[in-house]
């Protein structure tokens, strides 16, 4: 049963082949069995889950169920859950019991989903390997010596290990797509503003976006139907109509124009990854798509631009953690400044401190124009090039990550090379576009993801392309041997 | 290249204590990151206006009416130190 997709489980529940209580019990059992091995959970919410499952079963019996009612899931520990610890992977929030629900949490509650727990993640979502978590690294279910990617590493690992059919993630520079690629699952970053940021702990507010992590594109579409929408509590929420994201899944791909950015396939790309992505594109060609070369010359500057914009916004957002109103407070402060400095110094880990310091520096008097303003200008160039390209093609395809899952400790002391693992994903956040990563091959026993990028609010089209690809291939069905 | 004085100054602006033995690491890491960022200088952006929001939406306004209820006690339940509805910090006025 744990091998079924969310769509299959939904059908089984509707047909009364199983109950939510039974499913929830089964997945909780798997979570307990594997959670220490993978270090994938910060909190397992068993009683909460069983109560939600019983309520879901009542809804199903009363004929009031929707497609998600009774289906178990997990939230990345960045989403505030009322009355339940919300750590954001940080010592700073190790004692934080959120006083309200994030909009995404409320939406999925309302849809009748059952929360099994909160997943481990890079501290404040800053990292690409899940090694910056206060709770230690998550291990990759494909190989325990390797990282699951980050920052939504716990969410990617639990879906890959079949401990849940679906997890929420957040993506500021690749944090849904890169771990999805490294763990062999499907991860969708929607258009900026499509999913509410209310109650999703802020890292870089002009980049952050929540989305679903699932086994299949069809499952992602079902979940996005519940997650997407305008939220008056989020000042940058997009007031655009929400489609039924499942309605276009089966559309044929005849006439689809795919753009391949020459900059994504240059000599720096690992030839094995390049071959896998080209094989994936060939599958789409068989389904009727045409291929067009495009240029995104400014994309090579996306990492430098991102490492100004994201730390600048992070240093501003994280100013709220001061040891006064909530979160960690140091012992015996001498005076108010000592309280601030030591609470923050002791509560934040090394990578968060690096980014707060960089952000503070680039925003400080005398440096603002040279760094932050300059980065915002190049950000416009990056976005303009995508917009231009998307007038000529329907979707853009490339690798999600430059390689497969790397070894634990391989990059943790080398921030620059760690940052480069997001080289194919950050430009999409800077432009605010939607993108999905789907499993497209295996390399030395490890999964490789293919990234499909679309125009603003074209999630239904992206899911259509991803779904047709998954009907033609079986890479998304590969699973780590130990968790079969 | 950032030196010890620079890092101490930035850390103070950020109200972040940094231990003495970590300072050389921060000098190195922050200098490397700024080195990476300097690639931006190669681009002429003279005619380009900055982009702060990917969809360039302006700030949304709402009617000026009270919509929040008072939840002070609820929010102060998770505070490190409170007394009579106030957050406690070390003495700032002698």
């Amino acid at each position: 049963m744990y091998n079924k997709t969310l769509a299959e489980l939904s059908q089984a529940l509707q047909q009364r082949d199983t109950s939510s209580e039974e499913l929830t019990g089964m997945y909780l059992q798997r979570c307990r069995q594997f959670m220490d091995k993978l270090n994938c959970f910060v909190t397992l919410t068993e009683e909460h889950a069983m109560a939600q499952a019983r309520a879901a079963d009542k809804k199903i019996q009363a004929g009031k169920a929707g497609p998600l009612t009774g289906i178990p899931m997990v939230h990345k520990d960045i989403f505030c859950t009322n009355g339940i610890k919300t750590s954001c992977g940080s010592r700073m929030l190790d004692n934080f019991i959120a006083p309200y629900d994030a909009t995404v949490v409320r939406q999925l509650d309302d849809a009748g989903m059952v929360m099994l727990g909160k997943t481990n993640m890079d501290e404040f979502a800053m990292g690409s390997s899940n090694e910056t978590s206060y709770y230690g690294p998550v291990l990759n279910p494909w190989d325990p010596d390797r990282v699951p990617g980050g920052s939504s590493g716990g969410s990617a690992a639990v879906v890959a290990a079949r401990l849940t059919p679906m997890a929420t993630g957040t993506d500021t520079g690749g944090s849904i797509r890169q771990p999805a690629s490294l763990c062999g699952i499907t991860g969708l970053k929607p258009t900026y503003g499509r999913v509410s940021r209310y109650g999703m702990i802020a890292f870089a507010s002009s980049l952050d976006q929540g989305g679903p992590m699932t086994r299949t594109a069809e499952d992602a579409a079902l979940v996005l139907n519940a997650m997407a929408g305008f939220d008056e509590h989020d000042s940058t929420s997009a007031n655009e109509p929400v489609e039924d994201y499942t309605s276009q899944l089966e559309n044929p791909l005849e006439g689809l124009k795919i753009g391949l950015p020459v900059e994504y396939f240059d000599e720096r790309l690992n030839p094995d990854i390049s071959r896998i992505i080209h094989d994936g594109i060939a599958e789409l060609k068989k389904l009727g798509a045409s291929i067009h070369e495009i240029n995104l010359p400014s994309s090579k500057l996306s990492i430098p631009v991102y490492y100004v914009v994201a730390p600048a916004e992070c240093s501003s957002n994280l100013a709220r953690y001061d040891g006064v109103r909530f979160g960690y407070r140091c012992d015996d402060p001498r005076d108010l400044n000592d309280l601030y400095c030591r609470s923050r110094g002791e509560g934040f880990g090394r990578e968060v401190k690096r980014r707060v310091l960089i952000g503070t520096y680039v925003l400080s008097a005398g440096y603002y124009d040279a760094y932050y303003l300059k980065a915002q200008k190049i950000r416009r160039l990056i976005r303009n090039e995508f917009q231009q390209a998307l007038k000529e093609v329907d979707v853009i395809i490339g690798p999600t990550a430059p390689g497969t899952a790397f070894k634990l400790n391989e990059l943790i002391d080398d921030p620059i090379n760690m940052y480069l693992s997001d080289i194919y994903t950050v430009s999409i956040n800077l432009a605010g576009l939607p993108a999905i990563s789907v499993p497209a091959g295996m390399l030395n026993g490890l999964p490789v993801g293919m990234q499909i990028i679309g125009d603003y609010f074209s999630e239904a089209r992206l899911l259509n392309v991803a779904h047709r690809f998954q009907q033609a291939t079986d890479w998304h069905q590969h699973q780590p041997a130990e968790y079969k | 290249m950032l030196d010890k004085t620079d890092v101490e100054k930035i850390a103070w602006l950020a109200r972040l204590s940094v231990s003495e033995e970590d300072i050389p690491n921060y000098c190195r890491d922050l200098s490397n990151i700024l080195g990476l960022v300097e690639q931006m200088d190669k681009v002429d952006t003279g005619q380009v206006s900055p982009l702060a929001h990917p969809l360039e939406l302006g700030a949304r306004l709402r009617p000026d009416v009270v919509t929040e209820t008072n939840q002070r006690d609820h929010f102060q339940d998770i505070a490190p130190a409170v007394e009579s509805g106030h957050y406690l910090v070390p003495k700032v006025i002698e």
Side-chain angles (χ1 to χ4, degrees):
Chain A
M1 196 62 113
Y2 59 82
N3 256 324
K4 291 195 184 303
T5 65
L6 187 153
E8 290 164 348
L9 293 173
S10 178
Q11 205 176 17
L13 283 167
Q14 314 274 325
Q15 292 171 349
R16 319 282 164 92
D17 292 340
T18 183
S19 67
S20 180
E21 217 176 328
E22 189 186 355
L23 279 184
T24 303
M26 184 262 302
Y27 278 113
L28 281 173
Q29 163 59 30
R30 272 183 79 75
C31 291
R32 283 191 301 266
Q33 187 182 346
F34 295 114
M35 62 188 285
D36 292 342
K37 198 166 164 183
L38 290 170
N39 194 29
C40 51
F41 281 103
V42 175
T43 308
L44 202 62
T45 51
E46 300 192 51
E47 283 173 30
H48 179 85
M50 292 313 293
Q52 281 189 316
R54 284 189 289 271
D57 281 333
K58 279 195 189 128
K59 261 177 147 178
I60 294 168
Q61 274 149 23
K64 290 178 186 159
L68 301 178
T69 307
I71 295 188
M73 56 82 61
V74 298
H75 278 296
K76 183 177 182 179
D77 208 19
I78 197 168
F79 288 99
C80 285
T81 40
N82 192 10
I84 294 167
K85 172 171 160 174
T86 302
S87 73
C88 220
S90 182
R91 183 184 193 192
M92 182 61 85
L93 293 178
D94 182 49
N95 64 0
F96 178 62
I97 308 296
Y100 67 103
D101 277 329
T103 296
V104 164
V105 171
R106 186 184 48 71
Q107 286 167 319
L108 298 184
D109 267 6
D110 289 350
M113 294 196 93
V114 174
M115 181 179 75
L116 305 177
K118 311 276 308 276
T119 56
N120 197 353
M121 54 179 282
D122 276 303
E123 185 178 9
F124 283 102
M126 297 174 201
S128 308
S129 67
N130 219 115
E131 293 169 290
T132 73
S133 170
Y134 175 59
Y135 304 96
V138 174
L139 307 185
N140 192 314
W142 292 89
D143 178 350
D145 293 332
R146 291 176 189 272
V147 305
S151 66
S152 311
S155 288
V158 294
V159 174
R162 279 44 174 174
L163 309 189
T164 165
M166 178 261 162
T168 55
T170 61
D171 191 314
T172 304
S175 285
I176 287 177
R177 293 161 287 157
Q178 184 257 16
S181 176
L182 271 46
C183 289
I185 65 161
T186 301
L188 172 69
K189 181 202 100 72
T191 306
Y192 177 76
R194 177 72 297 178
V195 169
S196 171
R197 292 188 297 110
Y198 180 71
M200 188 178 108
I201 295 173
F203 158 18
S205 300
S206 80
L207 303 164
D208 295 342
Q209 179 59 208
M213 303 177 78
T214 52
R215 301 250 306 281
T216 67
E218 182 186 22
D219 290 356
L222 285 165
V223 178
L224 188 63
N225 276 350
M227 285 175 88
F230 175 70
D231 180 11
E232 63 175 18
H233 292 111
D234 172 0
S235 64
T236 59
S237 175
N239 201 349
E240 292 281 328
V242 175
E243 303 166 63
D244 174 359
Y245 295 102
T246 61
S247 65
Q248 294 184 35
L249 286 176
E250 304 293 338
N251 286 4
L253 297 188
E254 262 104 46
L256 178 80
K257 290 185 188 165
I258 299 175
L260 301 192
V262 291
E263 293 80 6
Y264 283 31
F265 291 95
D266 65 11
E267 72 289 347
R268 289 173 303 178
L269 179 62
N270 172 327
D272 291 321
I273 304 281
S274 179
R275 176 180 49 76
I276 286 169
I277 304 304
H278 277 109
D279 287 350
I281 293 161
E283 286 293 338
L284 293 170
K285 218 170 153 182
K286 279 192 231 161
L287 296 171
S290 61
I291 312 300
H292 307 262
E293 207 167 75
I294 60 164
N295 285 286
L296 300 169
S298 298
S299 66
K300 63 179 184 296
L301 287 162
S302 56
I303 291 277
V305 169
Y306 180 84
Y307 279 96
V308 172
V309 172
E313 295 184 12
C314 131
S315 72
S316 171
N317 272 324
L318 270 57
R320 75 191 67 180
Y321 304 105
D322 57 4
V324 175
R325 288 162 304 143
F326 59 94
Y328 179 80
R329 171 182 276 205
C330 66
D331 289 334
D332 307 318
R334 283 192 314 278
D335 55 28
L336 189 58
N337 275 316
D338 187 47
L339 167 71
Y340 293 151
C341 292
R342 276 203 296 123
S343 295
R344 291 163 61 75
E346 294 165 18
F348 291 142
R350 187 178 293 270
E351 180 60 20
V352 170
K353 283 191 230 180
R354 261 186 215 125
R355 298 206 196 185
V356 166
L357 291 171
I358 281 288
T360 304
Y361 181 73
V362 299
L363 292 176
S364 62
Y367 296 102
Y368 181 88
D369 287 7
Y371 291 109
Y372 192 59
L373 209 62
K374 181 84 182 176
Q376 285 191 315
K377 288 177 177 180
I378 302 176
R379 184 176 185 180
R380 179 179 296 279
L381 297 177
I382 292 170
R383 191 208 53 169
N384 288 354
E385 288 171 9
F386 272 110
Q387 280 185 320
Q388 189 57 43
L390 286 164
K391 280 183 192 153
E392 290 152 28
V393 297
D394 300 310
V395 295
I396 296 170
I397 291 186
T400 305
T404 53
F406 43 93
K407 289 250 168 86
L408 286 158
N409 301 316
E410 189 177 328
L411 297 178
I412 193 66
D413 293 321
D414 185 359
I416 300 284
N417 273 313
M418 182 74 89
Y419 295 173
L420 291 175
S421 38
D422 292 332
I423 192 157
Y424 301 113
T425 47
V426 291
S427 55
I428 287 87
N429 298 78
L430 291 166
L433 295 164
I436 189 168
S437 178
V438 289
M442 297 292 293
L443 184 57
N444 303 325
L446 295 168
V448 175
M450 175 172 84
Q451 182 174 216
I452 312 169
I453 305 155
D455 209 345
Y456 297 108
F457 304 104
S458 69
E459 286 82 358
R461 185 63 158 158
L462 289 185
L463 290 161
N464 163 229
V465 177
H467 178 64
R468 298 299 291 202
F469 179 75
Q470 291 181 335
Q471 286 177 324
T473 60
D474 66 356
W475 299 113
H476 61 291
Q477 287 166 2
H478 286 230
Q479 63 185 98
E482 276 183 75
Y483 301 90
K484 274 183 183 160
Chain B
M1 203 54 201
L2 297 182
D3 61 21
K4 182 168 185 281
T5 320
D6 296 322
V7 169
E8 282 170 346
K9 184 183 164 207
I10 303 163
W12 168 246
L13 289 173
R15 297 296 185 274
L16 198 59
S17 68
V18 174
S19 70
E20 196 65 31
E21 71 264 22
D22 275 343
I23 287 183
N25 293 330
Y26 284 115
C27 288
R28 184 197 62 218
D29 291 347
L30 301 188
S31 297
N32 287 343
I33 296 168
L34 292 173
L36 174 81
V37 159
E38 271 157 22
Q39 290 173 32
M40 297 194 307
D41 295 344
K42 286 183 259 171
V43 187
D44 177 11
T45 50
Q47 303 301 313
V48 186
S49 56
L51 177 71
H53 181 297
L55 304 178
E56 292 191 275
L57 297 176
R60 200 173 62 237
L61 300 178
R62 63 166 177 82
D64 184 16
V65 291
V66 176
T67 55
E68 290 290 316
T69 52
N70 183 2
Q71 300 185 66
R72 187 178 69 181
D73 293 344
H74 180 49
F75 294 138
Q76 289 194 335
D77 276 348
I78 51 169
V82 288
E83 193 180 300
S84 322
H86 299 284
Y87 293 96
L88 294 187
V89 295
K91 204 168 176 182
V92 281
I93 303 166
E94 288 303 322

